Amino acid sequence: MKRILIIDDEVNVALLLSKFLTRNGFDVSTASSGTGGMEALKNGEFQLVLCDFRLEDTDGREMLRNIKQQYPKTGVIIITGYSDIKMAVELIKMGAYDYITKPLYPDEILNTINKAFETHHALVEVDEEPQAAIVPEKTKAAKDAKKTVFAAEFVTGSSKASKELARQIELVAPTNYSVIILGESGTGKESVAKSIHLNSPRHNQPFIAMDCGSLTKELAASEFFGHEKGSFTGALYTKIGHFEMANGGTLFLDEVGNLSYEIQAALLRTVQERKVKRIGSTKEIDLDVRIIIATNENLQEGIQKGRFREDLYHRFNEFSIYMPPLRDRGQDIILLAEHFLKIANQELGRNVESLSQEVIDCFMNYRWQGNIRELKNVMRRATLLTEGNEITMKALPLEMSTYKLSYEPSSYSAGQYNTQNDVPETKENRHDLKNAALEAEYETIIRVLREVNFNKTKAAEILNIDRKTLYNKMKAINLK
């Protein structure tokens, strides 16, 4: 259970926040003073502390200093009023994970807390992994193990592609190079960025992630650079931009190819001069920020079509890392599946032990268009649906059950197949009505599409369904 301590002398605020977080699956305790908070930390282990900046007996600065000295693995989020934002940023530089401004909004609180727990998990992995690797005569191996923390929530793969990825991370992490991480959606680009940060000299400084794909042209400048109160209509308070928040640490820009050309120009100036100026301010702030960007687009093609600035691309491209898709990572698929199975067991209180051979064969042949993200979701769903101690095909999503009927035999792992001819089994239980219906639907759609030379309009008419329904069914069974 994820344990949170709330320290706030406004009892009603603490009570409401406690009830909200408890409903969302957290184990929550409260304290109404700094002294009470430190006493609670002494008597119980908490992964995260939500501390009001203004307390009757102390303040957020002193609380953060004490918590970090005595409980360095505990994350701290500061709750602050608008007038305290500048101080909150200073506290982030001292080691606080983030700050939340009053009034408190449930979605913002939950999002910040979930991200804090993800970071806490990563830091625990960094601390614990070397201990398992330390052997007196293998000190170098232990040192190497500490550096190799990367994708898929820091699981080290055994495939050639994963080893090369680990080598590149180890190579670039100690430098201040800007890095471009290329790869399909869901391959773990943010995990690699976090790994680079955690294995760098900046690991004790902030890691700030920003999704450029969700930014509108109007909001992008404010999110990047911040703004002063009253600088434009709707600027009701001073806002700290992501560059300033990441000062001293690492700024991760995801889906950077979606930024408008105008914002790219402003970004280029900031990256070149290492200075930032809030909207509505005349004061320039010096920056010491390492920039890591990620994209699933071809930026070179974007440059040719005039969508992405070539000068900005070369500023970012001091080092590039290619993230291989999950389907190209061989036995790492099963390694990752087993890792996600352990996590799902912990979340759900289950004791599912393994995957059936049929599921393993399916996983090794499936296309995994959603990559690691899709695998994680599949394992969570399968763990929830599995009643025994082994995941079978029945627990997999519809698209995987039907896709299994069409894949070609693979050649992975000699000795892992179920038949004498080394071909994975593809037959479902014919007495399973659900599987029989899925198979019949799949075969009917394929047959009709072939008859009309894959003309979807004609196929929909023959099948007596509308075109949209046909597209949905084709998507469900991974037909293009």
Side-chain angles (χ1 to χ4, degrees):
M1 179 72 76
K2 298 174 180 177
R3 300 198 67 201
I4 297 176
L5 174 64
I6 299 172
I7 306 175
D8 196 325
D9 51 15
E10 294 186 41
V11 178
N12 290 336
V13 172
L15 182 61
L16 288 172
L17 194 53
S18 174
K19 288 182 178 180
F20 169 70
L21 294 176
T22 300
R23 286 199 304 270
N24 282 276
F26 298 100
D27 182 5
V28 184
S29 298
T30 61
S32 58
S33 65
T35 304
M38 295 307 297
E39 188 67 25
L41 285 165
K42 182 180 178 181
N43 295 328
E45 183 177 342
F46 296 90
Q47 289 91 9
L48 186 66
V49 173
L50 270 63
C51 182
D52 190 17
F53 179 69
R54 298 182 182 276
L55 298 170
E56 289 185 359
D57 59 344
T58 185
D59 61 22
R61 182 195 291 272
E62 189 65 27
M63 287 298 296
L64 176 63
R65 185 180 292 113
N66 291 337
I67 292 171
K68 285 300 176 184
Q69 285 178 353
Q70 299 179 42
Y71 311 98
K73 291 185 179 180
T74 301
V76 180
I77 294 176
I78 301 296
I79 302 174
T80 176
Y82 291 137
S83 60
D84 300 323
I85 290 179
K86 188 174 290 186
M87 180 58 70
V89 174
E90 291 298 319
L91 292 173
I92 288 177
K93 294 178 180 179
M94 290 173 57
Y97 172 75
D98 205 343
Y99 66 89
I100 302 173
T101 56
K102 294 179 180 178
L104 304 177
Y105 296 101
D107 290 343
E108 179 188 357
I109 294 169
L110 198 57
N111 185 48
T112 303
I113 288 174
N114 285 332
K115 286 185 177 180
F117 272 105
E118 288 176 10
T119 302
H120 176 269
H121 174 71
L123 292 171
V124 170
E125 289 282 347
V126 171
D127 289 340
E128 291 181 353
E129 186 174 352
Q131 295 176 9
I134 291 176
V135 180
E137 62 271 18
K138 294 184 179 180
T139 307
K140 185 178 182 300
K143 187 176 180 181
D144 292 341
K146 184 175 182 179
K147 294 179 180 177
T148 309
V149 183
F150 64 105
E153 297 188 31
F154 310 96
V155 174
T156 305
S158 59
S159 69
K160 183 178 179 180
S162 294
K163 289 178 180 178
E164 175 59 20
L165 179 60
R167 187 189 71 82
Q168 292 185 19
I169 291 172
E170 180 180 354
L171 192 65
V172 77
T175 74
N176 273 323
Y177 285 7
S178 296
V179 181
I180 295 180
I181 304 175
L182 307 165
E184 296 178 8
S185 180
T187 49
K189 295 188 287 292
E190 184 170 349
S191 292
V192 168
K194 284 181 182 177
S195 179
I196 292 172
H197 172 74
L198 292 170
N199 285 280
S200 76
R202 299 171 181 265
H203 65 274
N204 288 324
Q205 299 299 321
F207 175 88
I208 304 297
M210 186 174 180
D211 181 10
C212 299
S214 63
L215 291 178
T216 63
K217 182 179 177 181
E218 293 74 20
L219 290 176
S222 178
E223 291 295 321
F224 273 119
F225 313 122
H227 63 250
E228 295 291 345
K229 181 179 179 180
S231 57
F232 55 86
T233 303
L236 302 178
Y237 58 89
T238 296
K239 178 180 177 63
I240 308 299
H242 282 68
F243 269 102
E244 196 174 343
M245 289 170 61
N247 209 357
T250 302
L251 177 62
F252 173 63
L253 305 178
D254 196 12
E255 303 304 341
V256 74
N258 292 321
L259 292 174
S260 70
Y261 210 77
E262 293 79 6
I263 290 298
Q264 291 176 37
L267 196 57
L268 175 64
R269 180 182 177 278
T270 301
V271 173
Q272 283 178 332
E273 300 183 10
R274 296 291 167 172
K275 293 178 183 294
V276 68
K277 185 164 61 176
R278 295 179 197 160
I279 298 171
S281 173
T282 58
K283 179 184 177 182
E284 287 191 327
I285 301 167
D286 292 329
L287 290 178
D288 174 23
V289 176
R290 181 182 196 170
I291 299 175
I292 300 176
I293 74 167
T295 180
N296 58 14
E297 297 183 13
N298 187 334
L299 293 183
Q300 292 282 9
E301 184 180 321
I303 291 170
Q304 293 173 4
K305 294 183 178 180
R307 295 197 308 265
F308 200 83
R309 294 182 64 106
E310 185 173 8
D311 45 7
L312 183 60
Y313 173 78
H314 291 303
R315 281 285 174 183
F316 288 147
N317 193 28
E318 293 180 326
F319 192 89
S320 60
I321 292 176
Y322 172 68
M323 293 292 297
L326 183 59
R327 58 185 170 274
D328 292 344
R329 291 179 61 175
Q331 284 293 334
D332 288 354
I333 296 171
I334 307 306
L335 183 68
L336 291 167
E338 290 172 347
H339 172 71
F340 292 136
L341 175 59
K342 291 179 183 177
I343 294 175
N345 275 329
Q346 292 172 358
E347 289 179 350
L348 302 170
R350 296 293 184 89
N351 190 30
V352 182
E353 297 176 356
S354 61
L355 313 176
S356 71
Q357 185 61 46
E358 196 174 24
V359 169
I360 291 174
D361 292 340
C362 180
F363 279 13
M364 293 299 294
N365 287 277
Y366 186 61
R367 281 195 293 256
W368 295 113
Q369 291 178 320
N371 291 293
I372 294 172
R373 186 182 296 121
E374 182 182 5
L375 175 60
K376 181 178 182 180
N377 290 337
V378 166
M379 291 307 300
R380 293 182 72 192
R381 177 188 189 276
T383 306
L384 179 64
L385 294 177
T386 298
E387 296 179 357
N389 59 4
E390 183 181 73
I391 293 176
T392 64
M393 291 298 297
K394 292 181 181 180
L396 300 187
L398 171 66
E399 61 268 25
M400 295 194 72
S401 300
T402 52
Y403 180 79
K404 179 182 178 296
L405 300 172
S406 64
Y407 68 66
E408 295 295 328
S410 77
S411 59
Y412 86 96
S413 321
Q416 298 252 339
Y417 299 133
N418 288 331
T419 68
Q420 294 179 350
N421 296 323
D422 284 346
V423 176
E425 288 185 8
T426 59
K427 292 184 178 180
E428 298 285 348
N429 178 2
R430 296 299 176 179
H431 299 294
D432 188 323
L433 189 58
K434 181 180 177 181
N435 284 332
L438 291 173
E439 184 176 350
E441 183 174 272
Y442 171 84
E443 291 176 347
T444 302
I445 291 173
I446 287 290
R447 186 180 68 253
V448 172
L449 283 169
R450 285 173 177 165
E451 287 175 0
V452 297
N453 198 23
F454 290 88
N455 184 316
K456 299 177 186 63
T457 301
K458 290 182 179 180
E461 291 175 359
I462 294 172
L463 292 166
N464 198 27
I465 57 177
D466 58 48
R467 187 182 174 92
K468 184 178 180 181
T469 302
L470 176 60
Y471 272 114
N472 289 338
K473 289 184 178 293
M474 290 175 64
K475 183 178 179 181
I477 59 178
N478 282 316
L479 280 176
K480 290 186 177 180

